[in-house]
Amino acid sequence: MSVTTVPVDAPAPAVSAPATATAERSTGGRVWRSRLVRVASVLAALAAWQLLTANHIRLWVRFDTLPTVTRILHTLRQQLQTDTYWLDLGQSLIRILSGFGLAAVIGVATGVALGRSRWFADIFGPLTELARPIPAIAIVPVAILLFPTDEAGIVFITFLAAYFPIMVSTRHAVRALPTIWEESVRTLGGTRWDVLIRVILPGSLPGVFSGLSVGIGVAWICVVSAEMISGRLGVGYRTWQAYTIVDYPAVFVGIITIGVLGFATSAAIELLGRRATRWLPRAGEAAK
């Protein structure tokens, strides 16, 4: 009986080009289907809104008091042609980027320190846990007294709103890292800086970006609320001003603008996070 031997170093059979092309087309088809479903859900919601408001429907809520989609779009078209709309938009973006940028830098730094240093956690940890449950918007009176200008106070409120989600998520991500990673670097002669740069920062990136994603959403909530209370410019201030003069279509223009801005900034952070952590295995890749 003859025995067929197979060379140990024989190359693995290559995937045929047609199979690869079929897989790529299948993936592309799923992506486009997902996008179409998302767009269709938004359009369906707008159609339902138009139907309920145009026909003055009253169920357990009063849709007859809300403006129709067509009126809101007409008001939006008018505001897009004014300098005031774009000035408010730019002012809100400056505030959110300033406060969120400070929160990202300081939040990640203190989160890493809290996760790595017992002394820092003993000294600074109790202060953060006492301040964390306090809503940032409740600090508005303190910010008005503390800072000489309303602008600095609004940026401070935005910073506080984004800081705690970023800090807490970073701290948990650092503490959750396997100790064997650090021990491996130290065994090879690595210093504390090597551990920080090669293990702590890369390993905690998924948690950091989770905190950034949550932080930007909370920051938008608080910056708009702060603008309504003490601002003189901004999307939140203009939305509240429209409410005081009973201009409800303009109120919804402000609400939609805030939603679009929040969606765009959150999507940008998610995209940046995906690019920064592209070395991690994805769920779809693991299934393959």
Side-chain angles (χ1 to χ4, degrees), residues 140-154 156 230 232:
V140 169
V142 178
I144 294 174
L145 296 174
L146 190 62
F147 293 94
T149 62
D150 291 340
E151 192 66 27
I154 293 174
F156 176 69
S230 62
R232 291 184 175 85

Side-chain angles (χ1 to χ4, degrees), residues 36-58:
L36 288 175
V37 169
R38 294 180 183 185
V39 173
S41 68
V42 175
L43 293 178
L46 292 176
W49 184 353
Q50 176 68 19
L51 180 66
L52 293 170
T53 53
N55 291 282
H56 307 288
I57 303 297
R58 280 199 177 202

Side-chain angles (χ1 to χ4, degrees), residues 90-106 151-152 154-160 162-163 166 216 219-220 223:
Q91 192 67 34
S92 294
L93 282 174
I94 291 172
R95 290 164 176 166
I96 200 76
L97 293 178
S98 300
F100 179 76
L102 288 172
V105 174
I106 299 176
E151 192 66 27
I154 293 174
V155 172
F156 176 69
I157 295 300
T158 309
F159 162 78
L160 279 184
Y163 168 76
I166 297 171
I216 192 68
W220 272 113
V223 73

Side-chain angles (χ1 to χ4, degrees), residues 140-197:
V140 169
V142 178
I144 294 174
L145 296 174
L146 190 62
F147 293 94
T149 62
D150 291 340
E151 192 66 27
I154 293 174
V155 172
F156 176 69
I157 295 300
T158 309
F159 162 78
L160 279 184
Y163 168 76
F164 288 106
I166 297 171
M167 181 272 293
V168 171
S169 184
T170 303
R171 182 186 64 188
H172 288 325
V174 170
R175 290 178 177 175
L177 292 176
T179 56
I180 192 172
W181 293 358
E182 178 179 351
E183 293 170 357
S184 300
V185 174
R186 290 190 178 276
T187 301
L188 295 174
T191 62
R192 295 182 63 182
W193 284 107
D194 292 327
V195 172
L196 178 64
I197 295 173

Side-chain angles (χ1 to χ4, degrees), residues 6-12:
V6 179
V8 177
D9 57 348

